[in-house]
Amino acid sequence: MISDIFCKIVQKELPAEIVYEDEEFLVIKDIHPQAPVHLLVVPKKHFDQIHAASHEDLDLLGKMVLVAGKAAKLAGTEEKGYRLIINQGQDGGQLVPHLHLHLLGGKALGPKIIR
Amino acid sequence: MISDIFCKIVQKELPAEIVYEDEEFLVIKDIHPQAPVHLLVVPKKHFDQIHAASHEDLDLLGKMVLVAGKAAKLAGTEEKGYRLIINQGQDGGQLVPHLHLHLLGGKALGPKIIR
């Protein structure tokens, strides 16, 4: 049985600061924020990575992007701007093996997108 | 008429190093790479930002994520990992007002996701 930290949060077995929830997604606050706004868009369905998703998941992946846009609005970053990041695998710095999308904002993040 | 740099590349009015193309997307090399692999997934349909997309565009947004996964495979970064980034607006450092997704890889990008 898959039981990464996000699956446990989805199942309400672990606490999290939830800022949005619907049938398919949770949006939670990152516990180690790297910007004034740092949210995580987490699909309730478990995928390790994008490569585990198929054409059948097209709607879910599209909704992940739209939910991120909605979360940006809820967080007040829609107008000034924000950055969405999906880390995949070791080189990508993915810390939890459950597909998720970071939303960062609340300050100018600069044109450099990696160190 | 909308004529940002990506629209011009889509219309083949400007050159770009194209690594993948289908009816709805172009994947091109970034001209200022910030990692050994730095590709841009560009929807041919023009959106300034995610907020300009609607529920009708769900498939297209989902496909953008799947095309990014496909591009990661083509670029040889699927196994070791990679990072996907969507910059939105001024705070996000969005340089071209046409929704696009950065794919970075080819080295360990580290756990820090912004400076």
Side-chain angles (χ1 to χ4, degrees):
Chain A
M1 186 187 158
I2 296 157
S3 61
D4 64 80
I5 189 172
F6 291 148
C7 281
K8 286 181 177 162
I9 288 172
V10 164
Q11 289 152 19
K12 308 288 160 81
E13 291 172 7
L14 279 178
E17 214 170 325
I18 296 170
V19 298
Y20 172 82
E21 182 167 9
D22 63 25
E23 281 189 13
E24 293 168 302
F25 289 90
L26 273 183
V27 181
I28 62 176
K29 290 193 180 178
D30 194 291
I31 54 168
H32 299 297
Q34 292 184 43
V37 172
H38 189 170
L39 302 176
L40 302 174
V41 179
V42 180
K44 291 184 175 181
K45 180 172 174 181
H46 177 93
F47 305 92
D48 284 17
Q49 293 195 16
I50 292 163
H51 299 109
S54 69
H55 209 76
E56 285 172 27
D57 303 303
L58 216 53
D59 267 22
L60 191 77
L61 294 174
K63 199 173 167 200
M64 182 170 73
V65 177
L66 287 185
V67 168
K70 191 180 287 192
K73 194 167 188 169
L74 286 173
T77 62
E78 183 185 74
E79 203 178 327
K80 292 196 83 177
Y82 56 95
R83 179 167 294 159
L84 303 179
I85 299 179
I86 303 174
N87 294 328
Q88 297 283 273
Q90 193 172 348
D91 274 2
Q94 184 179 7
L95 298 178
V96 180
H98 182 127
L99 181 65
H100 58 288
L101 187 152
H102 294 260
L103 187 159
L104 294 143
K107 70 171 188 177
L109 300 169
K112 277 239 175 292
I113 52 181
I114 59 163
R115 285 181 302 167
Chain B
M1 186 188 157
I2 296 159
S3 62
D4 63 81
I5 188 172
F6 290 149
C7 281
K8 286 181 177 162
I9 288 172
V10 165
Q11 288 151 21
K12 309 287 161 81
E13 291 173 6
L14 279 178
E17 212 168 327
I18 297 170
V19 298
Y20 173 83
E21 181 167 9
D22 63 25
E23 281 188 12
E24 293 167 303
F25 290 90
L26 273 183
V27 181
I28 61 176
K29 290 192 180 180
D30 194 291
I31 54 168
H32 299 296
Q34 291 184 43
V37 171
H38 189 169
L39 302 176
L40 303 174
V41 179
V42 181
K44 291 183 174 180
K45 180 173 174 180
H46 177 94
F47 305 93
D48 283 18
Q49 293 194 17
I50 292 164
H51 299 108
S54 70
H55 208 77
E56 284 173 28
D57 302 303
L58 216 53
D59 266 22
L60 191 76
L61 295 174
K63 199 173 167 200
M64 182 170 72
V65 176
L66 287 186
V67 167
K70 191 179 288 193
K73 194 167 188 169
L74 288 173
T77 63
E78 184 186 73
E79 203 178 328
K80 292 197 83 177
Y82 55 94
R83 180 167 292 159
L84 303 179
I85 299 178
I86 303 174
N87 295 327
Q88 296 283 273
Q90 194 171 348
D91 274 2
Q94 184 179 7
L95 298 178
V96 180
H98 182 126
L99 181 64
H100 59 288
L101 187 153
H102 294 259
L103 186 160
L104 294 143
K107 70 171 187 177
L109 301 169
K112 277 239 176 289
I113 52 182
I114 59 165
R115 283 183 302 169

